[in-house]
Amino acid sequence: MTQHNQTPYVTDLTLKKKSRELDIMFNTGESYSLSCEMLRVHSPSAEVQGHGHPVLVAHKKNVNITAIDALGNYAVKITFDDGHDTGLYSWEYLYKLATEQSSLWQDYLSRLKQEKSSREPLIDMAVKYHR
């Protein structure tokens, strides 16, 4: 398969539910592991990205993935156990998260500290999700 752009594409995804990690293999031979928390707080959804003004998503340390659905040969839709399911993770976006995860994570932790928020789950874990 030849791609017109040079963006690597995903060849394999393995969800490790116990450790809350998603292993991602790209056609370049590179492989990365992203935490479910990282994927959730950096969701490409409009809800999180805030139309250019990203919303700080906190209290997701223990979030997990309940489903991964392929969208053609270019992306996956990830459903999290907190009900969030509107992010479409393109291969390009997954590659960006994987290769820039250290700086993205540090930025996230800095934002949490600045907003006096936390990664820790809220004590009341009741999820009210309506469509």
Side-chain angles (χ1 to χ4, degrees):
M1 172 157 98
T2 320
Q3 288 199 322
H4 297 290
N5 62 22
Q6 297 302 315
T7 303
Y9 58 89
V10 173
T11 57
D12 189 52
L13 291 173
T14 304
L15 176 60
K16 295 180 173 175
K17 276 184 121 31
K18 213 175 237 186
S19 59
R20 294 181 173 95
E21 293 180 326
L22 182 64
D23 289 346
I24 307 168
M25 175 76 85
F26 292 91
N27 66 311
T28 58
E30 296 169 280
S31 63
Y32 299 93
S33 187
L34 291 172
S35 70
C36 294
E37 180 184 12
M38 173 83 170
L39 290 160
R40 175 61 180 90
V41 302
H42 287 94
S43 171
S45 69
E47 170 192 334
V48 172
Q49 293 304 317
H51 305 286
H53 302 285
V55 173
L56 180 64
V57 179
H59 311 293
K60 299 299 178 184
K61 184 176 181 180
N62 294 333
V63 75
N64 214 330
I65 293 172
T66 57
I68 302 172
D69 299 301
L71 300 173
N73 291 318
Y74 66 92
V76 288
K77 175 183 168 187
I78 297 178
T79 303
F80 295 90
D81 62 5
D82 67 353
H84 182 73
D85 68 353
T86 57
L88 304 181
Y89 295 77
S90 68
W91 298 159
E92 183 175 7
Y93 190 69
L94 285 172
Y95 192 73
K96 174 186 169 70
L97 288 179
T99 57
E100 297 176 21
Q101 82 177 288
S102 180
S103 63
L104 288 169
W105 189 249
Q106 286 309 311
D107 289 348
Y108 173 68
L109 294 178
S110 294
R111 285 184 67 205
L112 279 176
K113 188 174 182 180
Q114 185 178 3
E115 298 291 324
K116 295 179 177 31
S117 196
S118 171
R119 294 175 54 214
E120 296 301 321
L122 296 172
I123 293 170
D124 180 7
M125 292 299 290
V127 175
K128 294 183 172 124
Y129 184 72
H130 302 282
R131 283 202 161 173

